[in-house]
Amino acid sequence: MINRPTNKLLYDAIKDRGTAYLMVFRELNARYGEDEAKDVMRSASRAHGLRIGKSLAGCAPRDFECMARGFARSPDDGSVFCPDIRRLDSRCLEVKMMACPIKDAWIEAGCSEEEIVTLLYCASALDEATLEAAGFDYEIELWSPGKEGCCLTRITEKSEQ
């Protein structure tokens, strides 16, 4: 898989979302402090993710091909986030996003690595809620300094509780 986005218009639109996240986070941080800024950003990201996840609920409980199409390769069959599907079988989908226009916006804005890690933590609530609403268990390893690409996500069948 090429690790460079190929759909420039879509890449730029998603990158703009990253810039909006950054501006909102910085404003909340300045007014209310970092803890409150993170709480509000994660709450808003979660609300959006719950809405998105409903569209993937038909993939549950274990249609990982469906999740590869609807989650890992979305949008535009992976042309923007350049997913590296590391495992896809009847038990799991594991995908590493090799490109991230949202993170790229933060890098271009001059964010420190620490701020990028914080912003990824805030934004990851969207993916967490998406996977939860879709009816799956998951583990997300957020990007950290020195790692290639962006986040790694493992999606598995929801366990009985």
Side-chain angles (χ1 to χ4, degrees), residues 6-55:
T6 58
N7 185 328
K8 177 136 176 56
L9 289 175
L10 193 52
Y11 169 87
D12 287 346
I14 294 171
K15 188 171 150 192
D16 281 345
R17 189 175 80 194
T19 300
Y21 282 153
L22 175 61
M23 297 300 112
V24 171
F25 179 81
R26 285 182 172 169
E27 186 65 26
L28 289 168
N29 190 20
R31 289 184 187 201
Y32 308 109
E34 185 174 359
D35 288 344
E36 187 67 15
K38 287 194 283 191
D39 187 53
V40 170
M41 293 296 291
R42 283 189 56 83
S43 181
S45 293
R46 178 172 170 70
H48 189 189
L50 289 172
R51 190 176 59 78
I52 293 168
K54 290 178 185 175
S55 70

Side-chain angles (χ1 to χ4, degrees), residues 15 18 25 27 35 61 69 94 101 108-109 131 135 137 139 145 157:
K15 188 171 150 192
F25 179 81
E27 186 65 26
D35 288 344
R69 285 187 309 274
E94 181 176 290
E108 288 179 22
L131 297 169
D137 282 343
E139 294 175 41
E157 182 176 356

Side-chain angles (χ1 to χ4, degrees), residues 56-68:
L56 296 170
C59 300
R62 67 185 76 76
D63 188 346
F64 298 108
E65 286 281 349
C66 178
M67 288 302 288

